[in-house]
Amino acid sequence: METANMFRRNRFSRAIPTFVLLALSVTLGCRSRETCAPTDNSRVRQTVRLATANPPEVIPEPIPAPAVPKNVLVISGGGMYGAYTAGFLSGWSKTGTRPQFDVVTGISTGALIATVSFLGPQFDEATREFYTSIRVADIYNTRAWILIPWAGSIASSDPLRRLIDSVVDERLLAYVATEHRRGRRLYVGTTNLTTRKLVVWDMGAVAEKGGPNATERFRRILLASCSVPGMLPPVAITSEGNGKTTVDLHVDGGATAQLFAPPGSLTALEERRPSNANLYVIISGKLFADPAPVRPRVLPVLSASAAGILSAHCRSEVASLFHQSKVAGANFHLTALPESDNGQTLGLNFEPAEMRRLYDVGYFHGVSGIWMSAPPFEGAATDPPRQ
């Protein structure tokens, strides 16, 4: 009898993940014909082609990276809230005050934006096209329900892979490699499922190797950084180290870090003199999850808890970067979607109309130069004690 009960409990426990995945596929599925119909992405490709029409300047001898970078840009993950970041950078470019960044880092959707923002404002039009026209069918295809329990993910990322492949070519890599030889650095984060750790990729070093293998590796890293665990399949990436070649599965860097600055990018000068560097942090979304009533059911409770965890994780990393910048004597600049914004909760439903609105909000903030010099949640991350 006890054995039979144990079997039933084990069978039920194994069924829970399957049930959650099936429910998530409903939650994350298409909401409208506009969202589910694929987009003609030729305009995105065309804007990138125009920006890379001329061969990049040849840098005969690589320039060492500065010991203390002057301008560092950190872009968080956030799914289609990346539309806010794309708009902000474009508006910032419009003012003529956007600097050339010595270091650019990106996670998840921020990895895509980081790649083009690293190359300069001439790629702003490409990010505008991407983040104001993209739809669900351009990112993933939800699998048939019957296949999900035996698949590596709820959906296939083939559409996103094809989109990245169509934009990231050897000409784009040549531009990234040129900037790398100037001493500038582009970093993208993924999560290694084997080690459960954040992996930081030096994308300029990857691009500098040149050739089809480098192009394919660059593409796979970007795809992995955007592969939401469980929703999209992990990406196999080959690594070499200690005389060994290993193949590990990588997923969205947001699983281990919402944003990051690599070691050495925030360092005080000798004799503890302030560096006077600038750290710019752009959050693709809000710093706090939107409050909403929760039904006492498994999926709503899990969803609300996950939103709280991710938001707290992001705020913790923002606070860490803020204090690092203070120790280094760097100037801290932060922007995020305002808590008062009452737009839709997008998740992985890519609604073009809402994304265009987010882009416009970001553009207005960028043109207006709306920055915070310190995290707004210092001392306000929790409510006062209650009785």
Side-chain angles (χ1 to χ4, degrees), residues 46-343:
Q46 183 180 6
T47 53
V48 174
R49 296 290 181 274
L50 288 174
T52 59
N54 298 319
E57 181 184 350
V58 176
I59 309 296
E61 294 294 331
I63 301 170
V68 180
K70 181 64 177 175
N71 295 297
V72 178
L73 174 64
V74 174
I75 303 175
S76 82
M80 284 298 100
Y81 286 102
Y84 171 83
T85 298
F88 188 95
L89 287 166
S90 183
W92 191 4
S93 298
K94 187 71 173 179
T95 66
T97 61
R98 175 176 156 181
Q100 183 181 74
F101 305 109
D102 300 303
V103 176
V104 180
T105 76
I107 286 278
S108 193
T109 193
L112 301 179
I113 302 173
T115 300
V116 290
S117 60
F118 175 73
L119 296 177
Q122 66 270 31
F123 288 85
D124 286 349
E125 181 62 19
T127 56
R128 187 191 69 80
E129 285 289 347
F130 181 86
Y131 281 99
T132 59
S133 64
I134 207 73
R135 303 178 185 187
V136 163
D138 301 310
I139 304 298
Y140 63 84
N141 293 323
T142 304
R143 304 182 195 277
W145 289 15
I146 194 64
L147 299 177
I148 290 176
W150 294 273
S153 61
I154 292 174
S156 163
S157 59
D158 284 347
L160 178 59
R161 176 184 55 77
R162 289 192 293 267
L163 179 56
I164 291 175
D165 289 355
S166 70
V167 173
V168 177
D169 58 13
E170 292 190 20
R171 287 195 296 182
L172 184 73
L173 259 67
Y175 271 78
V176 174
T178 294
E179 296 308 313
H180 182 78
R181 290 176 70 83
R182 292 185 195 275
R184 302 176 62 224
R185 295 294 180 262
L186 168 64
Y187 298 109
V188 164
T190 65
T191 297
N192 185 326
L193 289 180
T194 302
T195 63
R196 280 73 162 172
K197 293 180 179 180
L198 175 71
V199 177
V200 176
W201 301 90
D202 186 339
M203 303 301 279
V206 173
E208 196 174 19
K209 295 178 180 178
N213 290 340
T215 303
E216 178 60 20
R217 187 174 183 80
F218 199 103
R219 291 166 173 171
R220 293 182 74 82
I221 293 169
L222 289 181
L223 179 61
S225 189
C226 298
S227 296
V228 179
M231 183 62 194
L232 300 179
V235 179
I237 302 178
T238 303
S239 301
E240 296 181 1
N242 300 322
K244 296 181 180 179
T245 299
T246 60
V247 179
D248 294 308
L249 297 178
H250 290 255
V251 294
D252 193 325
T256 44
Q258 291 294 302
L259 61 160
F260 71 96
S265 57
L266 292 172
T267 307
L269 295 174
E270 295 179 1
E271 300 176 358
R272 297 186 179 181
R273 289 184 293 117
S275 66
N276 291 321
N278 292 293
L279 173 63
Y280 300 98
V281 179
I282 303 181
I283 303 300
S284 300
K286 296 182 179 181
L287 290 166
F288 286 86
D290 288 324
V294 178
R295 294 181 62 221
R297 300 290 185 270
V298 173
L299 287 181
V301 169
L302 287 176
S303 176
S305 300
I309 290 170
L310 290 174
S311 294
H313 196 186
C314 180
R315 292 194 302 273
S316 175
E317 287 160 347
V318 169
S320 176
L321 289 177
F322 171 68
H323 291 296
Q324 288 181 55
S325 68
K326 295 299 103 179
V327 170
N331 302 306
F332 182 83
H333 312 269
L334 170 69
T335 188
L337 189 66
E339 301 304 315
S340 59
D341 187 88
N342 293 319

Side-chain angles (χ1 to χ4, degrees), residues 3 30 41 43 95 110 128-129 177 378 383:
T3 303
C30 299
N41 292 301
R43 294 179 64 181
T95 66
R128 187 191 69 80
E129 285 289 347
E378 291 286 295
D383 292 333

